[in-house]
Amino acid sequence: AQACRCAPPPPADKALAEAVAVFVGTVQEVKREEQSRDKLVTLTVEQAWKGLAADQKTVTVSTCASGACCGYGFQEKNGYLVYAHGDGKSLSVSLCSRTRPLANADKDIEVLNQVVAGTYVAPPPPPPPPKPEVAAGVDAGNGVTVGLQENGQVVAAVHSSGKTTWQVKLPAPATVALVEGNRGIVEP
């Protein structure tokens, strides 16, 4: 049996841009479609940011009938912030979307309101991870340096005129044996 595999959903501002419709709704009905493995979920619309008419009171979305095929587990009478995809005429929701119970959506709703109002300022990207330091290094002569980083990765570099001209990183647990002058041999 295959299981649903999802990458983490994008942040709320990007999820809004990628979705066809974004809204808050309360589930009125969940029913299984006869000819497919999908469920049809009818929601009463309480607030919409994208993709629905201003006077639209209900919307029906489809989702796969089980979590194994990435279906979202909507429960009747519960409220959700829905990020729906599709062609605009038919909407679908996946477990892999940013859809979430309304009780866990306060931060997203704040961002959505700011994006629509034009006042949202995206947070700066996280700083890049620090470059690993060489825990041990050996000058093999003739401008070749071989080092072992703290994470166990082997690094070999060739230097000329004080600058690194090329560098090879090998996954742990590889080792490098220097034989016959500068020729490096990788041993698993």
Side-chain angles (χ1 to χ4, degrees), residues 138-186:
V138 175
D139 184 352
N142 297 328
V144 176
T145 303
V146 177
L148 177 64
Q149 295 178 335
E150 290 179 11
N151 64 2
Q153 186 174 42
V154 176
V155 179
V158 173
H159 307 279
S160 64
S161 305
K163 296 183 181 184
T164 301
T165 55
W166 61 263
Q167 184 171 344
V168 177
K169 293 183 178 186
L170 305 170
T175 58
V176 175
L178 291 173
V179 295
E180 298 178 29
N182 293 346
R183 201 171 118 224
I185 305 293
V186 178

Short mmCIF file of all heavy atoms in Angstrom, two decimals, residues 138-186:
data_model
loop_
_atom_site.label_atom_id
_atom_site.label_comp_id
_atom_site.label_asym_id
_atom_site.label_seq_id
_atom_site.Cartn_x
_atom_site.Cartn_y
_atom_site.Cartn_z
N VAL A 138 45.25 18.05 5.99
CA VAL A 138 46.63 17.68 5.72
C VAL A 138 47.03 18.33 4.41
O VAL A 138 46.30 18.24 3.41
CB VAL A 138 46.77 16.14 5.59
CG1 VAL A 138 48.18 15.77 5.18
CG2 VAL A 138 46.37 15.47 6.87
N ASP A 139 48.17 19.02 4.41
CA ASP A 139 48.72 19.54 3.17
C ASP A 139 49.48 18.39 2.53
O ASP A 139 50.51 17.95 3.03
CB ASP A 139 49.65 20.72 3.46
CG ASP A 139 50.18 21.36 2.18
OD1 ASP A 139 49.94 20.81 1.09
OD2 ASP A 139 50.82 22.41 2.28
N ALA A 140 48.92 17.88 1.44
CA ALA A 140 49.50 16.72 0.78
C ALA A 140 50.65 17.11 -0.15
O ALA A 140 51.21 16.26 -0.81
CB ALA A 140 48.43 15.98 -0.01
N GLY A 141 50.99 18.36 -0.20
CA GLY A 141 52.07 18.81 -1.07
C GLY A 141 51.55 19.14 -2.45
O GLY A 141 50.45 18.80 -2.83
N ASN A 142 52.38 19.85 -3.21
CA ASN A 142 52.04 20.24 -4.58
C ASN A 142 50.69 20.95 -4.66
O ASN A 142 49.97 20.80 -5.63
CB ASN A 142 52.04 19.03 -5.52
CG ASN A 142 53.41 18.41 -5.63
OD1 ASN A 142 54.42 19.12 -5.53
ND2 ASN A 142 53.46 17.12 -5.80
N GLY A 143 50.29 21.70 -3.63
CA GLY A 143 49.06 22.47 -3.65
C GLY A 143 47.79 21.68 -3.39
O GLY A 143 46.70 22.18 -3.59
N VAL A 144 47.87 20.43 -2.92
CA VAL A 144 46.69 19.63 -2.62
C VAL A 144 46.48 19.60 -1.11
O VAL A 144 47.41 19.33 -0.36
CB VAL A 144 46.84 18.18 -3.15
CG1 VAL A 144 45.64 17.34 -2.75
CG2 VAL A 144 47.01 18.18 -4.66
N THR A 145 45.26 19.89 -0.69
CA THR A 145 44.90 19.81 0.72
C THR A 145 43.76 18.82 0.85
O THR A 145 42.81 18.86 0.07
CB THR A 145 44.43 21.18 1.27
OG1 THR A 145 45.47 22.13 1.05
CG2 THR A 145 44.09 21.10 2.74
N VAL A 146 43.84 17.94 1.82
CA VAL A 146 42.77 16.99 2.10
C VAL A 146 42.32 17.25 3.53
O VAL A 146 43.14 17.38 4.43
CB VAL A 146 43.24 15.53 1.96
CG1 VAL A 146 42.12 14.57 2.33
CG2 VAL A 146 43.72 15.27 0.54
N GLY A 147 41.00 17.38 3.71
CA GLY A 147 40.48 17.67 5.04
C GLY A 147 39.29 16.81 5.39
O GLY A 147 38.63 16.25 4.51
N LEU A 148 39.02 16.70 6.66
CA LEU A 148 37.84 15.99 7.16
C LEU A 148 37.02 17.01 7.94
O LEU A 148 37.50 17.59 8.91
CB LEU A 148 38.27 14.84 8.08
CG LEU A 148 37.12 14.05 8.72
CD1 LEU A 148 36.30 13.35 7.64
CD2 LEU A 148 37.68 13.04 9.71
N GLN A 149 35.78 17.24 7.49
CA GLN A 149 34.92 18.19 8.17
C GLN A 149 34.30 17.53 9.38
O GLN A 149 34.28 16.30 9.51
CB GLN A 149 33.82 18.68 7.22
CG GLN A 149 34.39 19.48 6.06
CD GLN A 149 33.32 19.93 5.09
OE1 GLN A 149 32.26 19.33 5.00
NE2 GLN A 149 33.60 21.00 4.37
N GLU A 150 33.76 18.37 10.29
CA GLU A 150 33.17 17.85 11.52
C GLU A 150 32.01 16.90 11.26
O GLU A 150 31.73 16.01 12.04
CB GLU A 150 32.71 19.01 12.40
CG GLU A 150 33.89 19.79 12.98
CD GLU A 150 33.45 20.96 13.84
OE1 GLU A 150 32.26 21.07 14.16
OE2 GLU A 150 34.33 21.76 14.19
N ASN A 151 31.30 17.07 10.12
CA ASN A 151 30.19 16.19 9.80
C ASN A 151 30.65 14.88 9.16
O ASN A 151 29.85 14.08 8.73
CB ASN A 151 29.19 16.89 8.89
CG ASN A 151 29.76 17.25 7.52
OD1 ASN A 151 30.91 16.95 7.21
ND2 ASN A 151 28.96 17.91 6.72
N GLY A 152 31.95 14.67 9.06
CA GLY A 152 32.48 13.43 8.51
C GLY A 152 32.72 13.47 7.02
O GLY A 152 33.17 12.49 6.44
N GLN A 153 32.42 14.59 6.36
CA GLN A 153 32.60 14.68 4.92
C GLN A 153 34.07 14.94 4.60
O GLN A 153 34.73 15.76 5.22
CB GLN A 153 31.74 15.81 4.35
CG GLN A 153 31.76 15.88 2.85
CD GLN A 153 30.78 16.92 2.33
OE1 GLN A 153 30.68 18.00 2.89
NE2 GLN A 153 30.07 16.58 1.27
N VAL A 154 34.58 14.20 3.61
CA VAL A 154 35.96 14.36 3.17
C VAL A 154 35.99 15.43 2.09
O VAL A 154 35.17 15.44 1.18
CB VAL A 154 36.52 13.03 2.61
CG1 VAL A 154 37.91 13.22 2.06
CG2 VAL A 154 36.52 11.96 3.70
N VAL A 155 36.96 16.35 2.20
CA VAL A 155 37.11 17.42 1.23
C VAL A 155 38.54 17.39 0.71
O VAL A 155 39.49 17.31 1.49
CB VAL A 155 36.84 18.80 1.87
CG1 VAL A 155 37.02 19.91 0.86
CG2 VAL A 155 35.46 18.85 2.48
N ALA A 156 38.67 17.42 -0.61
CA ALA A 156 39.99 17.51 -1.23
C ALA A 156 40.00 18.74 -2.11
O ALA A 156 39.04 19.00 -2.83
CB ALA A 156 40.29 16.26 -2.04
N ALA A 157 41.05 19.54 -2.06
CA ALA A 157 41.11 20.76 -2.85
C ALA A 157 42.49 20.92 -3.45
O ALA A 157 43.49 20.50 -2.87
CB ALA A 157 40.78 21.98 -1.99
N VAL A 158 42.52 21.53 -4.64
CA VAL A 158 43.78 21.85 -5.29
C VAL A 158 43.91 23.36 -5.28
O VAL A 158 42.97 24.08 -5.60
CB VAL A 158 43.81 21.32 -6.74
CG1 VAL A 158 45.04 21.82 -7.47
CG2 VAL A 158 43.76 19.80 -6.75
N HIS A 159 45.06 23.84 -4.89
CA HIS A 159 45.31 25.28 -4.77
C HIS A 159 46.41 25.68 -5.74
O HIS A 159 47.36 24.94 -5.96
CB HIS A 159 45.76 25.64 -3.35
CG HIS A 159 44.83 25.14 -2.30
ND1 HIS A 159 43.68 25.79 -1.96
CD2 HIS A 159 44.87 24.02 -1.53
CE1 HIS A 159 43.06 25.11 -1.01
NE2 HIS A 159 43.77 24.03 -0.73
N SER A 160 46.27 26.86 -6.32
CA SER A 160 47.35 27.45 -7.10
C SER A 160 47.30 28.95 -6.91
O SER A 160 46.24 29.54 -6.87
CB SER A 160 47.23 27.08 -8.58
OG SER A 160 46.06 27.62 -9.14
N SER A 161 48.43 29.55 -6.76
CA SER A 161 48.54 30.99 -6.54
C SER A 161 47.69 31.45 -5.36
O SER A 161 47.08 32.51 -5.40
CB SER A 161 48.14 31.77 -7.80
OG SER A 161 48.89 31.34 -8.90
N GLY A 162 47.58 30.62 -4.33
CA GLY A 162 46.86 31.01 -3.12
C GLY A 162 45.35 30.94 -3.23
O GLY A 162 44.65 31.33 -2.32
N LYS A 163 44.81 30.45 -4.34
CA LYS A 163 43.36 30.35 -4.51
C LYS A 163 42.97 28.89 -4.76
O LYS A 163 43.72 28.15 -5.39
CB LYS A 163 42.88 31.20 -5.68
CG LYS A 163 43.11 32.68 -5.48
CD LYS A 163 42.56 33.46 -6.64
CE LYS A 163 42.83 34.95 -6.39
NZ LYS A 163 42.25 35.78 -7.41
N THR A 164 41.79 28.52 -4.28
CA THR A 164 41.29 27.17 -4.54
C THR A 164 40.82 27.13 -5.99
O THR A 164 39.98 27.92 -6.41
CB THR A 164 40.12 26.83 -3.60
OG1 THR A 164 40.57 26.92 -2.25
CG2 THR A 164 39.58 25.42 -3.87
N THR A 165 41.37 26.22 -6.77
CA THR A 165 40.97 26.11 -8.17
C THR A 165 39.89 25.06 -8.37
O THR A 165 39.10 25.16 -9.28
CB THR A 165 42.17 25.77 -9.07
OG1 THR A 165 42.80 24.59 -8.58
CG2 THR A 165 43.16 26.91 -9.09
N TRP A 166 39.85 24.04 -7.53
CA TRP A 166 38.75 23.11 -7.53
C TRP A 166 38.69 22.41 -6.20
O TRP A 166 39.68 22.34 -5.48
CB TRP A 166 38.76 22.12 -8.69
CG TRP A 166 39.95 21.20 -8.78
CD1 TRP A 166 41.05 21.38 -9.56
CD2 TRP A 166 40.16 19.97 -8.09
NE1 TRP A 166 41.93 20.36 -9.39
CE2 TRP A 166 41.42 19.46 -8.49
CE3 TRP A 166 39.43 19.24 -7.17
CZ2 TRP A 166 41.94 18.27 -8.01
CZ3 TRP A 166 39.95 18.05 -6.68
CH2 TRP A 166 41.19 17.58 -7.11
N GLN A 167 37.53 21.89 -5.87
CA GLN A 167 37.33 21.24 -4.59
C GLN A 167 36.37 20.07 -4.79
O GLN A 167 35.41 20.18 -5.52
CB GLN A 167 36.76 22.23 -3.58
CG GLN A 167 36.60 21.67 -2.20
CD GLN A 167 36.23 22.76 -1.20
OE1 GLN A 167 36.37 23.93 -1.46
NE2 GLN A 167 35.75 22.36 -0.06
N VAL A 168 36.66 18.96 -4.17
CA VAL A 168 35.82 17.77 -4.25
C VAL A 168 35.34 17.44 -2.85
O VAL A 168 36.14 17.38 -1.92
CB VAL A 168 36.61 16.57 -4.82
CG1 VAL A 168 35.74 15.32 -4.84
CG2 VAL A 168 37.12 16.89 -6.21
N LYS A 169 34.02 17.24 -2.70
CA LYS A 169 33.46 16.82 -1.42
C LYS A 169 32.91 15.42 -1.59
O LYS A 169 32.14 15.16 -2.51
CB LYS A 169 32.36 17.77 -0.96
CG LYS A 169 32.88 19.14 -0.63
CD LYS A 169 31.79 20.03 -0.10
CE LYS A 169 32.37 21.38 0.26
NZ LYS A 169 31.40 22.23 0.90
N LEU A 170 33.30 14.54 -0.73
CA LEU A 170 32.88 13.16 -0.80
C LEU A 170 32.00 12.84 0.40
O LEU A 170 32.27 13.30 1.50
CB LEU A 170 34.11 12.24 -0.80
CG LEU A 170 35.13 12.53 -1.90
CD1 LEU A 170 36.39 11.73 -1.65
CD2 LEU A 170 34.55 12.20 -3.25
N PRO A 171 30.94 12.06 0.19
CA PRO A 171 30.06 11.74 1.33
C PRO A 171 30.77 10.82 2.33
O PRO A 171 31.59 9.99 1.94
CB PRO A 171 28.88 11.02 0.68
CG PRO A 171 29.44 10.49 -0.60
CD PRO A 171 30.51 11.44 -1.05
N ALA A 172 30.44 11.02 3.60
CA ALA A 172 30.95 10.11 4.63
C ALA A 172 30.32 8.76 4.38
O ALA A 172 29.20 8.69 3.89
CB ALA A 172 30.59 10.63 6.01
N PRO A 173 30.95 7.67 4.58
CA PRO A 173 32.21 7.46 5.26
C PRO A 173 33.38 7.23 4.31
O PRO A 173 34.23 6.41 4.57
CB PRO A 173 31.93 6.21 6.09
CG PRO A 173 31.02 5.41 5.21
CD PRO A 173 30.19 6.44 4.47
N ALA A 174 33.42 7.91 3.16
CA ALA A 174 34.51 7.72 2.21
C ALA A 174 35.83 8.21 2.80
O ALA A 174 35.87 9.08 3.65
CB ALA A 174 34.22 8.49 0.92
N THR A 175 36.92 7.64 2.34
CA THR A 175 38.25 8.09 2.75
C THR A 175 39.05 8.33 1.48
O THR A 175 38.73 7.83 0.41
CB THR A 175 38.97 7.03 3.60
OG1 THR A 175 39.06 5.83 2.86
CG2 THR A 175 38.24 6.77 4.90
N VAL A 176 40.05 9.14 1.59
CA VAL A 176 40.93 9.42 0.47
C VAL A 176 42.32 8.98 0.85
O VAL A 176 42.83 9.36 1.91
CB VAL A 176 40.93 10.92 0.10
CG1 VAL A 176 41.94 11.20 -0.99
CG2 VAL A 176 39.54 11.35 -0.32
N ALA A 177 42.93 8.18 0.01
CA ALA A 177 44.32 7.77 0.22
C ALA A 177 45.13 8.43 -0.87
O ALA A 177 44.79 8.35 -2.04
CB ALA A 177 44.45 6.25 0.14
N LEU A 178 46.16 9.15 -0.50
CA LEU A 178 47.02 9.80 -1.48
C LEU A 178 48.14 8.84 -1.84
O LEU A 178 48.91 8.43 -0.98
CB LEU A 178 47.58 11.11 -0.93
CG LEU A 178 46.54 12.20 -0.76
CD1 LEU A 178 47.16 13.40 -0.06
CD2 LEU A 178 45.98 12.62 -2.10
N VAL A 179 48.17 8.48 -3.09
CA VAL A 179 49.22 7.59 -3.57
C VAL A 179 49.75 8.15 -4.88
O VAL A 179 49.09 8.92 -5.55
CB VAL A 179 48.71 6.14 -3.79
CG1 VAL A 179 48.28 5.51 -2.48
CG2 VAL A 179 47.56 6.11 -4.78
N GLU A 180 50.95 7.77 -5.25
CA GLU A 180 51.55 8.19 -6.50
C GLU A 180 51.49 9.70 -6.65
O GLU A 180 50.93 10.23 -7.62
CB GLU A 180 50.89 7.50 -7.69
CG GLU A 180 51.03 5.99 -7.67
CD GLU A 180 50.32 5.33 -8.84
OE1 GLU A 180 50.19 5.98 -9.89
OE2 GLU A 180 49.89 4.19 -8.69
N GLY A 181 52.02 10.43 -5.72
CA GLY A 181 52.06 11.89 -5.83
C GLY A 181 50.72 12.51 -5.50
O GLY A 181 50.21 12.36 -4.40
N ASN A 182 50.12 13.20 -6.49
CA ASN A 182 48.88 13.95 -6.25
C ASN A 182 47.62 13.16 -6.53
O ASN A 182 46.54 13.64 -6.33
CB ASN A 182 48.83 15.19 -7.15
CG ASN A 182 49.89 16.18 -6.79
OD1 ASN A 182 50.49 16.07 -5.73
ND2 ASN A 182 50.13 17.15 -7.65
N ARG A 183 47.73 11.94 -7.05
CA ARG A 183 46.55 11.20 -7.43
C ARG A 183 45.81 10.69 -6.20
O ARG A 183 46.36 9.96 -5.39
CB ARG A 183 46.95 10.01 -8.30
CG ARG A 183 45.80 9.52 -9.12
CD ARG A 183 46.25 8.48 -10.12
NE ARG A 183 45.52 7.26 -9.75
CZ ARG A 183 46.03 6.07 -9.69
NH1 ARG A 183 47.28 5.88 -9.97
NH2 ARG A 183 45.28 5.05 -9.38
N GLY A 184 44.57 11.09 -6.04
CA GLY A 184 43.78 10.66 -4.90
C GLY A 184 42.93 9.45 -5.26
O GLY A 184 42.35 9.40 -6.33
N ILE A 185 42.90 8.48 -4.40
CA ILE A 185 42.10 7.28 -4.60
C ILE A 185 41.01 7.30 -3.55
O ILE A 185 41.28 7.45 -2.36
CB ILE A 185 42.95 6.00 -4.42
CG1 ILE A 185 44.17 6.02 -5.32
CG2 ILE A 185 42.10 4.76 -4.63
CD1 ILE A 185 43.85 5.93 -6.79
N VAL A 186 39.75 7.15 -3.99
CA VAL A 186 38.61 7.13 -3.05
C VAL A 186 38.36 5.69 -2.66
O VAL A 186 38.24 4.81 -3.50
CB VAL A 186 37.35 7.73 -3.70
CG1 VAL A 186 36.19 7.64 -2.74
CG2 VAL A 186 37.60 9.14 -4.15
#
